[in-house]
Amino acid sequence: MNILNIACGAVGAYCSGRLAENGAKVAVTIRSSFEEIKAKGFEITSIAGNFKFMPDEVLTSSKEYKNDADYIFITSKVLPNANTVALLDGVVKENTVIVLIQNGLSIEDKIAKAYPNNEILSCVAYLGINRTTGNKIIHQGGGQLRIGKFGGGPSLAAQKLCDAFNAAKIEVIYTCDIAFERWQKLLWNITFNAISVAGGGLKTSEICDNGLLEDLGRSLMEEIIKVANSVKVALSFDMIEEMITFTRNFPPYKTSMLIDFECKRPLEIEAIVGEVVRLGKANNIPVPHLETIYALLTSLDKLNIKNI
Amino acid sequence: MNILNIACGAVGAYCSGRLAENGAKVAVTIRSSFEEIKAKGFEITSIAGNFKFMPDEVLTSSKEYKNDADYIFITSKVLPNANTVALLDGVVKENTVIVLIQNGLSIEDKIAKAYPNNEILSCVAYLGINRTTGNKIIHQGGGQLRIGKFGGGPSLAAQKLCDAFNAAKIEVIYTCDIAFERWQKLLWNITFNAISVAGGGLKTSEICDNGLLEDLGRSLMEEIIKVANSVKVALSFDMIEEMITFTRNFPPYKTSMLIDFECKRPLEIEAIVGEVVRLGKANNIPVPHLETIYALLTSLDKLNIKNI
């Protein structure tokens, strides 16, 4: 199995690395710490067992890739200026399956338009994983992927990939409703990521310990569910208390957006918060709580990046 | 004219100091920099003329005051744990007029209950004034007070005080609707103070330059006006664009809440934001934007104070 992992950060290194352990041939393109990773590979500390991942090729750009990939993983963050389609230039062959392991909504549309004859798999990762410095990755909890075929239906290529992941210590659920999975993850992600940053740098436990913030979380989730329902995604209001309870019982956790903020990296605001605000407005669903925290987050992000 | 100024900070030093320049006998109680102010008085840099204000008495507590005050000014910030009534212990005589030069809503009620036979003047200050360090005060703009009698109606004591202020370079407008004045000031104060802090430390110009934040300002003002109207205060929706335009045309300005935040001082959140959220809820006026920024501000304030 030939894999090209474009923009291989923490999530990419873990997923591709586990497949490489089981025999896949993996090339990666890297955004930062290129020399270090080319020389030493990734060092991954994981609750499922530590390992080292030395990719077969470490590239600065997919243009350098000369092989035919069975699967191209795109694991970049979804930022406003990122052009995912351009990243695929020249490497998508007739049978290449494009796998988006990313957050956000509607991220498949542009790819499908550019490559209408290629199969696209859309993937939501539940991996408590971060890059600390350079080539060091820490995987602290979770370990599940949910994969669906863009456009729905069964898929042999997906089945093969799921089998490979399952054999490589990464549990995968194949779903025929990946939109639901994306929204379900967003429900938690928007709420806790946004409050963790806008509230001044809070772990999940600190959010749940503060009645006003926990109620704000409930209000944000209510709005997200209404927007999801308006686009025919069946999130239910029961999920609110389930997620609150789940989060309360989970060990104190620093959200990925907060880690990005503290590292002064750009935040995935547009893809996860802005998109829901825009969908709400387009569908006449009032989203005042979302719109408030969205406006504040964009300001915080802008100042944070400027201050590098 | 004998004045006791309790909790004399920047606003108090300016107001009392101007009256002292014109012959009033002023005692002050001080929260911080006691020795410095006792030794050197306040040094005030003002667009209306620099001056030094050496109070007749500098006290740590009103209990030390042995005179009979004609007017007691209370110029403390309105913080949740502050007990304004206790500050008045022993110093309110039969003819003492109590003057509240403070922000916030419903701040007169407790005083009126404790001293039902004394006249209470409620005062809103439009003074662009801050304490920088120790005994140094900077007055950069504005210079107007609006004074009204609690309970309404005319007042000889208020007239006398207004005359004294007007003679001392501080313009005063006597109003029979001080509640309207308080809400009008809140309309600006909540909006720009809250966004300046929760948006990451923004001057007014930076708020107006950011479409999302300016729209957030409009949404906050709309909610404040609806709550004001629900308690029979006649703020009008026209004020929104007036205040936006006024603020846009005003030189870049750091709000007092942002200055407090940067100095790691506790913020006046409950008196100016929390109170409107609570009134909204009590009167069934939805205040989702206010409630979001209120929850975030309380968290930011708590972390900020903790980090001293």
Side-chain angles (χ1 to χ4, degrees):
Chain A
M1 184 183 283
N2 278 330
I3 294 167
L4 169 62
N5 188 336
I6 294 178
C8 179
V11 167
Y14 187 75
C15 295
S16 298
R18 284 290 184 210
L19 294 176
E21 274 198 311
N22 265 22
K25 206 169 164 208
V26 180
V28 301
T29 75
I30 296 289
R31 293 164 292 177
S32 58
S33 306
F34 179 80
E35 293 302 336
E36 187 176 3
I37 290 161
K38 192 173 170 70
K40 300 196 284 182
F42 291 97
E43 290 169 31
I44 300 170
T45 309
S46 165
I47 52 160
N50 301 345
F51 68 112
K52 202 176 151 170
F53 166 39
M54 177 61 79
D56 293 277
E57 295 178 73
V58 179
L59 312 171
T60 55
S61 151
S62 50
K63 291 187 175 53
E64 301 163 19
Y65 186 66
K66 303 298 169 214
N67 234 322
D68 279 3
D70 299 307
Y71 298 92
I72 296 180
F73 294 178
I74 301 181
T75 53
S76 57
K77 268 199 291 189
V78 182
L79 297 174
N81 298 325
N83 183 346
T84 327
V85 172
L87 295 173
L88 291 168
D89 240 16
V91 290
V92 180
K93 306 293 163 64
E94 196 185 335
N95 295 315
T96 306
V97 176
I98 303 167
V99 186
L100 305 179
I101 311 180
Q102 299 180 293
N103 289 319
L105 296 173
S106 320
I107 57 173
E108 305 90 352
D109 299 341
K110 281 184 210 161
I111 309 281
K113 204 173 160 193
Y115 297 100
N117 301 317
N118 286 79
E119 186 167 334
I120 299 170
L121 300 178
S122 183
C123 179
V124 175
Y126 285 96
L127 292 166
I129 203 162
N130 295 298
R131 189 202 294 226
T132 47
T133 54
N135 70 332
K136 295 193 177 48
I137 309 283
I138 296 185
H139 169 224
Q140 290 175 290
Q144 203 186 66
L145 300 177
R146 303 199 183 161
I147 293 184
K149 182 179 168 182
F150 178 64
S155 157
L156 278 177
Q159 191 53 52
K160 211 173 132 194
L161 184 62
C162 291
D163 289 348
F165 274 128
N166 281 321
K169 297 189 184 170
I170 298 179
E171 188 192 356
V172 186
I173 293 177
Y174 185 70
T175 170
C176 52
D177 191 356
I178 192 68
F180 178 86
E181 296 294 339
R182 290 207 166 272
W183 275 94
Q184 188 175 41
K185 186 172 179 191
L186 270 189
L187 187 62
W188 192 94
N189 247 358
I190 291 181
T191 305
F192 286 93
N193 277 287
I195 297 177
S196 72
V197 173
L202 302 167
K203 289 191 178 153
T204 49
S205 53
E206 293 169 303
I207 296 171
C208 294
D209 282 350
N210 177 324
L212 282 173
L213 292 179
E214 202 182 75
D215 278 348
L216 173 57
R218 289 187 175 92
S219 302
L220 291 170
M221 286 196 253
E222 252 179 56
E223 292 176 5
I224 298 163
I225 293 169
K226 285 178 190 164
V227 176
N229 293 171
S230 80
V231 294
K232 314 272 183 262
V233 173
L235 296 189
S236 101
F237 289 98
D238 294 341
M239 290 174 165
I240 297 176
E241 291 313 317
E242 283 167 26
M243 287 216 177
I244 295 270
T245 305
F246 167 80
T247 309
R248 268 204 203 135
N249 294 332
F250 204 75
Y253 178 74
K254 216 177 238 196
T255 67
S256 59
M257 190 181 276
L258 179 54
I259 292 173
D260 282 340
F261 188 75
E262 289 178 345
C263 295
K264 298 194 173 291
R265 294 192 286 245
L267 307 183
E268 257 179 342
I269 298 169
E270 291 307 328
I272 80 163
V273 192
E275 194 63 19
V276 180
V277 169
R278 285 183 286 270
L279 273 174
K281 288 185 190 280
N283 293 292
N284 293 317
I285 310 293
V287 289
H289 296 88
L290 279 169
E291 147 188 299
T292 303
I293 210 160
Y294 168 58
L296 297 173
L297 278 177
T298 57
S299 172
L300 292 168
D301 183 41
K302 201 171 136 195
L303 290 170
N304 195 44
I305 301 303
K306 215 168 71 179
N307 288 338
I308 282 181
Chain B
M1 183 185 284
N2 279 329
I3 294 168
L4 169 62
N5 187 337
I6 294 177
C8 180
V11 167
Y14 187 75
C15 295
S16 296
R18 285 291 184 206
L19 295 176
E21 274 197 310
N22 263 21
K25 209 171 162 205
V26 180
V28 301
T29 75
I30 298 288
R31 292 163 292 176
S32 59
S33 306
F34 179 80
E35 292 302 335
E36 188 177 3
I37 291 161
K38 192 174 171 68
K40 300 197 283 182
F42 291 97
E43 290 170 31
I44 300 169
T45 308
S46 166
I47 51 158
N50 301 343
F51 67 112
K52 202 176 152 171
F53 166 38
M54 178 60 82
D56 294 277
E57 296 178 71
V58 178
L59 312 170
T60 55
S61 152
S62 51
K63 290 187 175 55
E64 300 162 19
Y65 186 68
K66 302 299 169 213
N67 234 321
D68 279 4
D70 299 308
Y71 297 92
I72 296 180
F73 293 176
I74 301 181
T75 52
S76 58
K77 267 201 290 189
V78 182
L79 297 173
N81 299 324
N83 183 345
T84 327
V85 171
L87 295 174
L88 291 168
D89 240 17
V91 290
V92 180
K93 305 294 162 64
E94 197 184 333
N95 295 315
T96 307
V97 177
I98 303 167
V99 186
L100 306 179
I101 310 180
Q102 298 179 296
N103 289 320
L105 297 172
S106 319
I107 57 172
E108 306 91 350
D109 299 342
K110 281 184 207 160
I111 309 282
K113 203 172 161 194
Y115 298 101
N117 300 318
N118 285 80
E119 187 167 332
I120 298 171
L121 300 179
S122 184
C123 178
V124 174
Y126 286 95
L127 293 167
I129 203 162
N130 295 296
R131 191 201 294 226
T132 47
T133 53
N135 71 332
K136 295 192 178 46
I137 309 284
I138 294 185
H139 169 224
Q140 290 174 291
Q144 202 186 67
L145 300 178
R146 301 196 186 165
I147 294 184
K149 183 178 167 181
F150 178 64
S155 156
L156 278 177
Q159 192 54 53
K160 213 174 133 194
L161 183 63
C162 291
D163 290 346
F165 274 127
N166 281 322
K169 297 188 185 169
I170 298 179
E171 188 191 356
V172 186
I173 293 177
Y174 185 70
T175 171
C176 52
D177 191 356
I178 192 68
F180 177 86
E181 296 294 339
R182 289 206 166 275
W183 276 94
Q184 189 175 38
K185 186 174 179 189
L186 271 188
L187 187 62
W188 192 94
N189 248 359
I190 290 180
T191 305
F192 287 92
N193 277 286
I195 296 177
S196 72
V197 172
L202 302 168
K203 289 191 178 152
T204 47
S205 53
E206 293 170 302
I207 295 171
C208 294
D209 283 348
N210 177 324
L212 282 173
L213 293 179
E214 203 181 74
D215 278 348
L216 174 57
R218 289 187 175 92
S219 302
L220 292 170
M221 286 197 253
E222 252 179 54
E223 293 176 6
I224 298 164
I225 293 169
K226 285 179 189 164
V227 176
N229 293 172
S230 80
V231 296
K232 313 267 183 268
V233 174
L235 296 190
S236 101
F237 289 98
D238 295 341
M239 289 174 166
I240 296 176
E241 291 312 317
E242 283 167 25
M243 286 215 178
I244 296 269
T245 305
F246 166 81
T247 309
R248 269 204 203 136
N249 294 332
F250 205 75
Y253 179 75
K254 217 176 237 197
T255 68
S256 60
M257 189 180 276
L258 178 55
I259 292 172
D260 282 340
F261 188 74
E262 289 178 344
C263 295
K264 297 195 172 290
R265 295 192 286 245
L267 307 183
E268 256 179 342
I269 298 169
E270 291 307 329
I272 81 162
V273 192
E275 193 65 18
V276 179
V277 169
R278 286 183 285 273
L279 273 174
K281 287 185 190 278
N283 293 292
N284 293 316
I285 310 294
V287 288
H289 296 88
L290 280 169
E291 151 186 298
T292 303
I293 211 160
Y294 168 59
L296 297 173
L297 279 177
T298 57
S299 172
L300 292 168
D301 182 42
K302 203 172 136 195
L303 290 169
N304 194 44
I305 300 303
K306 215 168 71 181
N307 288 338
I308 284 183

